[in-house]
Amino acid sequence: MPQVMVVARNFMDMVAALPAGKLDMLYDSAFICEAVLRSLPPLAKKYALQMLYVLSPVTAAAMEEWVLDGYAAKHRVAIDKLLQLRVFVEVRDRRKEVSYKMNQKFQGNMQKYLVDGGSLPREPLPSSITGRLPASADLEAYALDQWERFLLQLINSSQVEKGTSFSSSMMKTFQRGLLSSRDGEAPKLTENGFQFLLMEINAQLWYIMREYILSAEERGVDPTELISFLLELSFHKLGAAYSLNTLTDVQRIAIRDLAELGLVKMQQGRKDSWFVPTQLATNLSASLSDSSSSKEGFVVVETNFRMYAYSTSKLHCEILRLFSRVEYQLPNLIVGAITKESIYGAFENGITAEQIISFLKQNAHPRVADKIPTVPENVTDQIRLWETDRNRVEMVPSHLYEDFPSKEWFEQCCDHARDHGYLLWEDTRRMRLIVRGEFHPEMREFLRRQR
Amino acid sequence: MTSAHSKLYSDDVSLVVVLVDTNPIFWATAALPFADFFAHLIHFVNSILLLNHLNRVVIIAAGVSSCAYIFDSSDAGPASGVGVSDTFDKASRKVEEFIAQEARATASNGSVAPANTSSLLSGALSLALCYIQRIFRSGTRHPQPRILCLQGSPDGPEQYVAVMNSIFSAQRSVVPIDSCIVGTQDSAFLQQASYITGGVYLKPQELNGLFQYLAAVFATDLHSRAFLRLPKTLGVDFRASCFCHKKTIDMGYVCSVCLSIFCKNQRKCSTCGSEFSRVMPDLNSMPDQSK
Amino acid sequence: MGSMTIGAKYKTTPKDPGTPGILRMNEDKFTFIPNDPRSAMKFNVDFRSIKGHKFNKVDGDKPALLNLLKEEKAGGYMFGFDSVGNRDLCRDFVARVLGKHQGIVPSRPTARPDNSVASAGLEQLSAAEVERRVKLLREDSELQKLHKKFVLGNILQESEFWATRKNLLDDEANKASKQRSGFKSALVDVRPSADGRTNKVTFQLTTETIHQIFAEKPAVHRAFLNFVPKKLSESQFWEKYFRAEYLLRTKNTAAATAEAAGDEELAVFLKNDDILAKEAMLKIKRVDPTLDMEADAGDDYIHLPDHGILRDGSKETVDTDSELVRRTLSQDLNRHAAVVLEGKASDVELTNTKTVAEALARSKKEPPSNSAVDDANHERLLKVARMTEIEDLQAPRSLPYAPLCIKDPKEYFDSQQANALRSLGGTNDGRKARNCSLSTEEAFHHLMDQVSSIKVNKLNCPIIQSDMALKVLNELNEGISRSRRLNLKNPQEGLLGQLPQHTRDELMDHWTAIQELLRHFWSSYPVTSAVLYNKVQRVKEAMTQIYQKLQHIKESAQPDVRHEVSRLVKPMTQALDAAFNHDLEQQQKSSKGGSRPNGF
């Protein structure tokens, strides 16, 4: 399930791209330190842990000795990550020997955190104010419902009843790539949008969050504040109520947008209003380190290209419809077939074969998930073949030259084009050649000079 | 390390079962006071939990007369963020209870233990393996388990069979046993345990820096171990010790019933009590090449 | 097994008209003598040269052929027969003979060594077993080496070799899981067959169909339990049942009513199944009263032309007048579906009608009281869920595990070295425990003090000083780089690494060989039979040879590695010496004990 990692890392890349000063500011919060630590690759975690109490720099060579031959790349990746996120700081001594030392703020915070656990900037409201809060099952249902509603709206805006339409800031976020936004036209899903739908839920979350922060940045909001708020939010207690009064203005706007996605549930008391984090929010930091969700899958694919999806979700049905022909829909079962037409439809929308296959694998029903392969090989092979089938013909804009007056001239032309790597085809007998379109001006120039 | 289990999380998620030696005789004379040791331990547990929200840690205390679960991170609910000080409170309370109970049990037994009393390593190992088996059988996805023994007191030869059995079952279910010796003597049991199960055996030189050893060596998840070079002991003593005099032997007599090892020919197996027929004295207990 | 004589035609090709003659076969060979004494097609062949046989499928007027194949594509002998029956007789005979021969074919010198199986005629192996052994040998070169050395070297017998490796052999044997068969999903439909000559139809019954009939038609089941054997014999019962069925099938309503009037047992079958009717009523009661049943009336297209359910190729027409015909197919289908889903109790042995009937009665809880209906219904659903579980899709019930094994025999030698080091080094660090003697009580007291101090002090931060942490890290780094350097300098760590490659390989080979031999040696004691005695002699012989080779290696070793070699060889020679001594003792004892030589 590499997608999550890619996207989540992208989020962390965004964090890493912050200027050093801002990054250090983020590390004021122990929770952000923890979230960052958890996002690291396993080897980097180990390095960070063994440096936790070492104040003086340790040479890079000493660290590398621990790595077995042939795994230097892993070591490299881990160290790069640590440096990018400024968890480690590079130090060079007089002899130009490289040493690493831990970011002091990070180190201090982590040491303290291990002892007394750190505290969130806000405390949950007592139940005397909030009354009965939603049970965790209800909360989960709420979160998933909100999330599905959002995805459904993406798939087809006409299918969702009016009134759930998103706020303009959220809409802007989607229009950063998921939806095309031509004026006067209903927004349509883009290629990225289709690919997004097949992603795993945590990957989707991170994708949206990243887009959200980037679009906020365009509106002039400091991304640091949003990043730290999001990461902190993921350490809030699931199902507890937090007063809105503890939030800054930026955070208050953000929390309303997040509520639309189902990350938090907003509630109104007699005079107070508060938000309740849902699983989606608390899973944010978790999914940074764990690439696989523990959710059970629902799809069984048979060797005869038939697909059984044990799901009641309308969203699932819509997603399956992206690349398969849904044949029957029973109360808890969707029966579909993977056909050439349906797969071609998916390709038209910019979905790749690998995405379809990994979707089927990720969402495999637990009964088949343990089998190897999860999805029958003939099906995966066929999907890949269908994809390569489409790529059989490559379109290259080009120009055809013919009616050369002499053999020499023709050959000179051929050589010229070949030398520049623009020759596509030649027919010596009938003296014709085809050259890439972008080379045409030069070719014309060449011909003119020859004349 | 290839895993025999398919329901593992993909990455570095670990379940660490820590076996803690709470032998009072040992701690009375140990170089590192128990209070400091405990602080190192809790620190280690917290840092494991810090690395991944799915990580789980269980602490099992091995006393002289009983064993008990001291701490289980999965009881604590959502561990993220708030669990750190809980770990300390819960574990210290449970340890106190456990030691008090052990003290009562020993006092009521009235038996004055010999100076080199060993802790119940076999019992603690069995508890740990049972816990791990329960995780395996829970049917859901589970973290990759390993066992860490923090032992100080010397091996108890009377536990040889039980310990070896635990080691083999750990190997069979692909659970590495790491050993960190906080005492003065090397433990032949744990050397073999770590060797057979593919864990790390280490005897720290600087006990005051225990946490550093734990963090640098024993916190390494199984995923990363595949590409790291971890401390290795120079040669493991594979030779069995005979059950009668605890001598390490190259060749000896093996009981055909329970496979106990003796350096001399015996009339009766002292472990399982089988009597070797006197009519054919050499037939039942025959020397075997030991390995 | 005897012999066989039969008329046949010898053919060179399938198209060949063939030479008619007499084919004689006995257990060892077969002869063919042509009818025409002038013909040259006369031969006498040993069955041992025949590897297999083939026969053709006979349809139309093609002759029945049997082809006896010689080894390795050398062709074969083809015979044509006048009838398939004759051919099949012949084929079966040949199959028997070949089967017997191939069990005891001595290993052929031409075959590859790992293919030769069974050196003596003691074992009768199935082909599958032979295949498994060959496969094992092929997969494990070490095993193959041993096999080659001992079995083909005539030191051990095939069976002896494998006897110590039973676990390898039956590991895979019981992997195949069994699927329980449920009810047939086809509707029970016993067809009468008429012989055409007399005015009589015959129904064929098996216990399985009977079971199904009982399950689907509770009234029949009840009648069976009531009538048989007190009132009717079993065959009489079924006769009546099928008579009723026949009447229903032929829609002979008038006759049915007439017969029912005269025969109360028969009437039972003609009546509507009251048990089913009761169940149906219960079901209807459970239906939500707001459901408008009338609305469905329009859906019943059976009265329209071209609608309805086809059975027996003709449409089932509805005759609403007759109660008998109300038993429509759809009702039967529903009942059948319910029965199939319910499944059959796994412990029912379908041997005899009586037991079937009783088992079914046991498994069925007799009419549930109204309050228990919900319970029963729930139970039924559970059972349905259990029965419809598909074994193929289930996860394996037992947990996977890694096999126990001794990792690498090389490690043993490494440990030898480490032990040598240890004896030199003595105690390996200066850390000595404060040696004060405490009573258990005091010790506990001390520990409790420690624990309470923990609770008071909480965790101190930082838990270790930076310089201590650095010191430890440096120490670890040092250790790691030392082992890394060692590794680079000498990838084959340890004692073995210092030896030249071929000596090392030779020693390892001998080591595995010695282990195998010792295992056989010790397991043959006490020597109680001539077979064991022979085995011991053979093994001893082989051990002596290896012993000499070891001595040779030791003496011929280069001076710079001689010490290492002798250290490596020592445990091997020790083990062998122990075996020789034991053997010597036994011999002395038995010679003292009397006339019985060699202990048996």
Side-chain angles (χ1 to χ4, degrees):
Chain A
M1 283 138 260
Q3 282 173 9
V4 194
M5 293 316 280
V6 170
V7 179
R9 287 232 176 93
N10 281 345
F11 184 84
M12 272 302 158
D13 285 345
M14 193 175 71
V15 175
L18 292 173
K22 284 195 171 172
L23 200 55
D24 283 352
M25 225 160 71
L26 276 183
Y27 289 151
D28 278 339
S29 158
F31 291 101
I32 293 172
C33 295
E34 186 179 349
V36 166
L37 185 65
R38 284 187 177 179
S39 76
L40 293 170
L43 197 55
K45 287 182 193 174
K46 182 204 176 297
Y47 288 154
L49 200 59
Q50 78 186 26
M51 290 291 284
L52 195 54
Y53 283 95
V54 181
L55 294 178
S56 43
V58 171
T59 61
M63 265 188 195
E64 220 170 330
E65 297 241 57
W66 289 66
V67 183
L68 286 176
D69 307 324
Y71 291 99
K74 296 245 181 209
H75 170 76
R76 215 50 261 161
V77 167
I79 291 289
D80 281 351
K81 214 81 233 171
L82 287 166
L83 291 176
Q84 274 168 22
L85 286 165
R86 289 181 53 77
V87 177
F88 275 17
V89 184
E90 203 175 81
V91 183
R92 278 172 201 271
D93 61 8
R94 267 160 291 146
R95 280 171 299 155
K96 292 270 162 128
E97 205 176 346
V98 181
S99 299
Y100 302 115
K101 143 178 204 258
M102 210 170 192
N103 183 331
Q104 267 183 2
K105 205 178 221 174
F106 192 93
Q107 195 170 30
N109 259 330
M110 246 28 275
Q111 287 180 6
K112 265 224 300 289
Y113 184 84
L114 277 183
V115 175
D116 49 38
S119 54
L120 283 168
R122 57 194 70 84
E123 285 294 308
L125 290 173
S127 56
S128 55
I129 299 175
T130 58
R132 252 188 65 218
L133 287 169
S136 80
D138 294 340
L139 205 60
E140 188 176 357
Y142 165 82
L144 289 180
D145 187 49
Q146 280 302 99
W147 187 253
E148 286 203 357
R149 209 180 275 243
F150 148 64
L151 292 179
L152 269 178
Q153 175 153 6
L154 273 187
I155 293 175
N156 190 349
S157 26
S158 66
Q159 278 184 5
V160 180
E161 318 84 72
K162 274 190 183 145
T164 58
S165 60
F166 288 97
S167 68
S168 64
S169 60
M170 240 23 218
M171 212 56 207
K172 279 222 179 64
T173 306
F174 304 149
Q175 281 166 358
R176 279 183 57 86
L178 297 181
L179 291 175
S180 70
S181 54
R182 249 175 250 140
D183 288 332
E185 238 180 82
K188 270 185 71 182
L189 218 49
T190 63
E191 236 170 71
N192 279 341
F194 280 110
Q195 296 186 355
F196 172 80
L197 284 176
L198 290 191
M199 283 182 195
E200 207 248 340
I201 181 161
N202 283 323
Q204 290 173 334
L205 257 177
W206 279 116
Y207 187 92
I208 287 290
M209 287 306 116
R210 195 169 60 112
E211 295 296 315
Y212 181 72
I213 290 169
L214 290 178
S215 79
E217 200 176 354
E218 283 166 11
R219 279 181 280 127
V221 181
D222 182 10
T224 325
E225 189 169 359
L226 277 178
I227 290 173
S228 78
F229 178 59
L230 266 173
L231 290 178
E232 261 172 25
L233 185 66
S234 66
F235 286 97
H236 283 50
K237 210 166 148 228
L238 177 70
Y242 295 92
S243 170
L244 280 183
N245 296 336
T246 56
L247 301 179
T248 65
D249 288 342
V250 173
Q251 290 171 341
R252 213 169 297 170
I253 295 168
I255 203 93
R256 295 207 187 278
D257 291 334
L258 296 181
E260 282 184 37
L261 294 178
L263 269 80
V264 293
K265 188 175 166 66
M266 308 288 281
Q267 282 192 324
Q268 188 87 39
R270 234 167 291 154
K271 46 182 189 180
D272 254 335
S273 43
W274 58 85
F275 65 92
V276 184
T278 68
Q279 267 90 343
L280 288 181
T282 50
N283 275 345
L284 265 180
S285 75
S287 59
L288 276 175
S289 56
D290 180 42
S291 51
S292 49
S293 71
S294 45
K295 213 175 51 177
E296 287 207 330
F298 58 96
V299 185
V300 178
V301 183
E302 293 185 338
T303 48
N304 57 6
F305 292 83
R306 195 146 260 237
M307 195 175 63
Y308 299 90
Y310 292 85
S311 168
T312 50
S313 153
K314 197 175 171 190
L315 174 69
H316 285 156
C317 183
E318 288 304 319
I319 289 178
L320 293 177
R321 221 184 271 281
L322 289 179
F323 61 85
S324 67
R325 191 180 71 214
V326 172
E327 291 180 338
Y328 316 113
Q329 229 175 315
L330 306 176
N332 66 341
L333 175 69
I334 303 160
V335 181
I338 295 174
T339 66
K340 190 174 176 180
E341 288 72 30
S342 68
I343 291 285
Y344 267 43
F347 293 154
E348 290 294 332
N349 286 327
I351 301 172
T352 67
E354 281 314 314
Q355 281 170 328
I356 295 172
I357 292 167
S358 81
F359 176 83
L360 291 175
K361 280 185 182 158
Q362 275 169 19
N363 291 294
H365 192 277
R367 282 201 188 162
V368 292
D370 291 342
K371 298 203 162 189
I372 299 170
T374 317
V375 181
E377 257 168 357
N378 70 326
V379 177
T380 53
D381 285 351
Q382 186 60 67
I383 293 177
R384 289 195 189 103
L385 281 177
W386 278 329
E387 186 179 48
T388 46
D389 234 18
R390 275 164 49 91
N391 302 335
R392 209 156 38 179
V393 177
E394 197 186 347
M395 306 275 219
V396 179
S398 50
H399 283 266
L400 169 73
Y401 304 87
E402 53 188 348
D403 295 336
F404 282 92
S406 73
K407 196 101 181 165
E408 292 85 56
W409 199 355
F410 170 74
E411 259 155 29
Q412 275 171 356
C413 277
C414 280
D415 290 345
H416 180 70
R418 197 182 291 119
D419 290 347
H420 291 77
Y422 286 101
L423 180 70
L424 287 172
W425 177 81
E426 64 176 85
D427 178 1
T428 327
R429 200 168 48 81
R430 294 170 64 182
M431 293 202 288
R432 295 189 299 182
L433 82 157
I434 296 178
V435 170
R436 281 181 187 273
E438 65 263 33
F439 195 59
H440 180 59
E442 281 183 56
M443 202 67 191
R444 209 167 41 192
E445 186 62 28
F446 180 75
L447 288 169
R448 199 171 294 142
R449 266 187 279 127
Q450 290 290 312
R451 201 173 285 164
Chain B
M1 168 135 331
T2 53
S3 158
H5 297 275
S6 55
K7 283 182 173 168
L8 291 167
Y9 288 107
S10 56
D11 223 323
D12 59 335
V13 188
S14 347
L15 162 66
V16 186
V17 184
V18 188
L19 311 187
V20 179
D21 193 346
T22 61
N23 187 338
I25 316 269
F26 163 72
W27 285 113
T29 58
L32 179 74
F34 185 73
D36 291 359
F37 166 77
F38 192 75
H40 285 282
L41 171 70
I42 295 302
H43 232 67
F44 171 68
V45 170
N46 277 339
S47 35
I48 295 275
L49 293 176
L50 175 77
L51 292 182
N52 196 316
H53 77 294
L54 288 169
N55 278 355
R56 289 170 75 173
V57 181
V58 176
I59 306 179
I60 296 174
V64 280
S65 60
S66 60
C67 303
Y69 291 107
I70 294 297
F71 173 74
D72 183 346
S73 67
S74 57
D75 299 341
S80 58
V82 278
V84 171
S85 43
D86 283 1
T87 312
F88 176 77
D89 295 341
K90 207 179 290 170
S92 58
R93 201 178 56 243
K94 276 285 193 65
V95 154
E96 192 174 20
E97 281 169 21
F98 174 72
I99 292 172
Q101 186 219 322
E102 276 251 298
R104 275 198 305 278
T106 330
S108 65
N109 272 349
S111 64
V112 178
N116 61 343
T117 323
S118 52
S119 300
L120 277 178
L121 174 66
S122 56
L125 272 176
S126 314
L127 272 185
L129 287 169
C130 288
Y131 187 93
I132 289 167
Q133 284 300 320
R134 201 169 76 211
I135 302 281
F136 279 161
R137 279 155 215 263
S138 63
T140 50
R141 305 229 290 168
H142 53 75
Q144 216 173 354
R146 63 180 194 266
I147 296 175
L148 169 61
C149 295
L150 296 170
Q151 205 192 7
S153 46
D155 290 339
E158 70 282 355
Q159 294 177 39
Y160 179 81
V161 178
V163 170
M164 286 315 274
N165 283 339
S166 306
I167 293 172
F168 287 131
S169 61
Q171 191 218 333
R172 212 167 151 81
S173 35
V174 205
V175 178
I177 300 177
D178 293 336
S179 336
C180 181
I181 302 297
V182 290
T184 47
Q185 301 172 8
D186 271 315
S187 158
F189 286 176
L190 288 179
Q191 270 185 344
Q192 297 207 23
S194 296
Y195 173 76
I196 291 171
T197 58
V200 179
Y201 176 92
L202 187 70
K203 190 167 156 227
Q205 301 292 312
E206 303 288 344
L207 278 180
N208 288 322
L210 181 63
F211 174 77
Q212 189 61 33
Y213 287 101
L214 295 176
V217 178
F218 296 106
T220 318
D221 58 283
L222 298 182
H223 174 78
S224 306
R225 285 185 193 196
F227 36 82
L228 282 181
R229 180 178 283 118
L230 291 175
K232 223 160 96 185
T233 34
L234 240 186
V236 178
D237 194 349
F238 290 115
R239 291 174 304 170
S241 23
C242 70
F243 288 23
C244 40
H245 307 93
K246 323 293 178 217
K247 273 195 305 193
T248 318
I249 49 173
D250 275 325
M251 225 150 65
Y253 293 84
V254 177
C255 168
S256 54
V257 178
C258 69
L259 302 180
S260 303
I261 302 156
F262 303 101
C263 57
K264 291 219 184 78
N265 198 354
Q266 307 269 320
R267 288 270 163 78
K268 185 180 173 193
C269 172
S270 59
T271 311
C272 67
S274 331
E275 290 199 33
F276 307 133
S277 156
R278 278 204 239 151
V279 188
M280 294 187 289
D282 286 318
L283 301 184
N284 284 331
S285 63
M286 52 202 181
D288 198 340
Q289 65 278 13
S290 65
K291 266 207 64 155
Chain C
M1 205 174 263
S3 60
M4 182 171 179
T5 309
I6 203 161
K9 286 180 181 153
Y10 175 73
K11 299 182 174 205
T12 43
T13 65
K15 296 267 161 58
D16 183 16
T19 321
I22 304 289
L23 176 64
R24 276 203 184 85
M25 297 189 282
N26 65 20
E27 282 169 45
D28 304 318
K29 57 184 185 179
F30 63 93
T31 53
F32 181 77
I33 299 159
N35 290 346
D36 181 1
R38 285 162 304 171
S39 166
M41 295 293 182
K42 191 157 128 187
F43 48 78
N44 187 343
V45 184
D46 196 326
F47 261 123
R48 254 168 292 190
S49 66
I50 298 300
K51 211 169 118 247
H53 64 280
K54 272 188 182 165
F55 55 94
N56 64 340
K57 213 167 97 190
V58 177
D59 50 351
D61 50 6
K62 272 200 267 170
L65 297 176
L66 178 68
N67 194 356
L68 301 177
L69 302 163
K70 284 196 285 192
E71 283 187 57
E72 324 289 10
K73 297 193 174 125
Y77 303 93
M78 196 185 302
F79 299 100
F81 296 89
D82 337 350
S83 74
V84 187
N86 278 350
R87 198 272 314 269
D88 286 354
L89 275 177
C90 225
R91 181 194 64 194
D92 293 345
F93 183 85
V94 168
R96 267 202 311 277
V97 171
L98 286 181
K100 192 158 162 265
H101 272 275
Q102 273 158 4
I104 55 166
V105 180
S107 56
R108 285 182 219 103
T110 49
R112 292 222 318 276
D114 60 354
N115 274 334
S116 73
V117 194
S119 54
L122 296 170
E123 268 188 301
Q124 285 285 347
L125 290 173
S126 70
E129 198 154 344
V130 171
E131 210 166 278
R132 180 161 312 137
R133 288 180 181 187
V134 170
K135 188 165 160 260
L136 280 171
L137 287 177
R138 207 173 290 143
E139 282 167 358
D140 188 348
S141 63
E142 199 89 332
L143 195 65
Q144 192 178 341
K145 224 188 275 171
L146 280 178
H147 186 262
K148 200 167 159 184
K149 199 182 249 166
F150 295 132
V151 177
L152 301 179
N154 269 333
I155 292 161
L156 296 173
Q157 282 172 2
E158 178 83 12
S159 54
E160 288 169 356
F161 182 77
W162 288 107
T164 52
R165 293 182 171 76
K166 281 227 165 61
N167 59 329
L168 288 179
L169 288 176
D170 46 43
D171 215 9
E172 293 161 43
N174 37 19
K175 269 187 190 164
S177 72
K178 275 198 181 147
Q179 211 171 31
R180 265 179 302 152
S181 61
F183 273 117
K184 276 191 191 134
S185 58
L187 197 59
V188 67
D189 194 12
V190 184
R191 288 311 182 74
S193 59
D195 61 1
R197 272 170 293 182
T198 56
N199 198 6
K200 207 165 106 185
V201 291
T202 322
F203 289 88
Q204 289 230 333
L205 267 180
T206 64
T207 37
E208 201 184 341
T209 41
I210 289 173
H211 189 202
Q212 213 167 341
I213 290 173
F214 283 160
E216 290 186 15
K217 300 178 179 170
V220 176
H221 181 217
R222 188 185 51 190
F224 184 88
L225 289 176
N226 287 344
F227 296 156
V228 181
K230 271 178 278 171
K231 262 171 119 174
L232 300 166
S233 78
E234 200 186 318
S235 62
Q236 277 173 322
F237 176 85
W238 289 117
E239 210 172 289
K240 282 196 194 286
Y241 168 75
F242 283 118
R243 179 178 286 277
E245 273 294 289
Y246 191 71
L247 289 174
L248 284 176
R249 188 183 295 278
T250 50
K251 314 244 182 303
N252 198 343
T253 328
T257 17
E259 287 213 30
D263 189 336
E264 56 166 310
E265 288 93 15
L266 189 72
V268 170
F269 302 126
L270 291 174
K271 263 195 293 187
N272 224 350
D273 194 323
D274 57 333
I275 296 178
L276 283 185
K278 223 194 289 170
E279 271 180 28
M281 282 309 293
L282 274 175
K283 268 187 214 158
I284 290 170
K285 268 188 214 156
R286 277 203 299 274
V287 168
D288 188 340
T290 57
L291 210 65
D292 184 7
M293 300 295 279
E294 288 299 311
D296 278 355
D299 290 347
D300 189 359
Y301 292 116
I302 287 176
H303 58 283
L304 296 175
D306 297 332
H307 284 81
I309 306 163
L310 294 176
R311 190 182 197 179
D312 309 346
S314 66
K315 206 168 58 165
E316 191 149 287
T317 46
V318 176
D319 180 1
T320 38
D321 300 338
S322 159
E323 192 193 6
L324 295 173
V325 202
R326 289 236 186 102
R327 276 168 51 181
T328 54
L329 178 61
S330 48
Q331 235 168 39
D332 284 355
L333 266 178
N334 278 338
R335 174 70 194 158
H336 173 73
V339 166
V340 169
L341 273 181
E342 227 157 74
K344 54 178 149 191
S346 51
D347 53 345
V348 178
E349 290 252 2
L350 298 176
T351 43
N352 136 5
T353 324
K354 193 74 193 163
T355 53
V356 168
E358 277 158 6
L360 194 65
R362 251 183 287 121
S363 71
K364 207 175 252 173
K365 276 170 63 187
E366 275 307 315
S369 65
N370 264 349
S371 62
V373 165
D374 281 347
D375 252 10
N377 199 37
H378 179 67
E379 204 170 289
R380 194 183 61 85
L381 284 178
L382 278 183
K383 195 175 173 199
V384 165
R386 209 166 44 241
M387 290 305 296
T388 46
E389 99 177 357
I390 304 165
E391 272 93 346
D392 296 354
L393 283 179
Q394 293 305 302
R397 303 236 185 260
S398 57
L399 288 167
Y401 57 81
L404 278 181
C405 63
I406 289 167
K407 287 186 177 158
D408 185 357
K410 286 194 186 94
E411 306 267 4
Y412 178 76
F413 298 107
D414 280 349
S415 81
Q416 296 290 88
Q417 185 194 31
N419 292 331
L421 283 177
R422 188 161 298 143
S423 57
L424 288 174
T427 51
N428 45 0
D429 68 353
R431 217 153 28 102
K432 278 267 180 262
R434 283 173 288 146
N435 203 9
C436 48
S437 54
L438 280 165
S439 78
T440 324
E441 251 170 76
E442 281 168 316
F444 268 119
H445 208 76
H446 177 82
L447 195 56
M448 289 304 283
D449 283 350
Q450 287 283 327
V451 172
S452 36
S453 82
I454 294 170
K455 295 192 89 169
V456 173
N457 294 343
K458 299 273 172 185
L459 292 174
N460 47 338
C461 177
I463 189 152
I464 54 176
Q465 296 306 318
S466 166
D467 49 349
M468 176 53 86
L470 188 64
K471 192 174 164 197
V472 168
L473 196 59
N474 283 339
E475 177 206 318
L476 287 171
N477 280 340
E478 215 169 282
I480 294 289
S481 58
R482 194 184 321 124
S483 81
R484 183 188 165 87
R485 275 199 307 278
L486 256 173
N487 230 355
L488 286 180
K489 201 173 64 191
N490 195 353
Q492 275 283 327
E493 252 177 304
L495 208 49
L496 279 174
Q498 298 159 18
L499 300 180
Q501 178 76 37
H502 72 272
T503 324
R504 192 162 67 215
D505 289 350
E506 208 173 348
L507 279 174
M508 291 311 291
D509 276 354
H510 283 315
W511 177 238
T512 43
I514 288 171
Q515 280 188 316
E516 176 76 18
L517 287 172
L518 283 175
R519 199 173 318 157
H520 285 285
F521 179 83
W522 289 113
S523 65
S524 0
Y525 279 92
V527 179
T528 50
S529 68
V531 176
L532 280 177
Y533 177 72
N534 284 331
K535 185 176 167 186
V536 168
Q537 293 310 316
R538 274 181 281 132
V539 170
K540 217 167 66 187
E541 180 78 10
M543 289 198 302
T544 319
Q545 278 172 16
I546 292 185
Y547 196 91
Q548 280 158 2
K549 278 184 200 149
L550 284 178
Q551 291 298 342
H552 178 73
I553 291 177
K554 213 158 78 177
E555 280 152 22
S556 65
Q558 297 297 314
D560 53 328
V561 291
R562 181 167 292 166
H563 180 61
E564 280 78 14
V565 169
S566 68
R567 247 176 51 207
L568 284 174
V569 168
K570 200 176 133 212
M572 306 187 200
T573 49
Q574 267 182 345
L576 288 175
D577 281 338
F580 291 139
N581 283 340
H582 182 78
D583 183 58
L584 213 64
E585 262 173 47
Q586 291 290 310
Q587 277 179 3
Q588 282 168 354
K589 206 174 288 169
S590 61
S591 62
K592 244 186 281 166
S595 56
R596 292 176 309 154
N598 305 313
F600 67 91

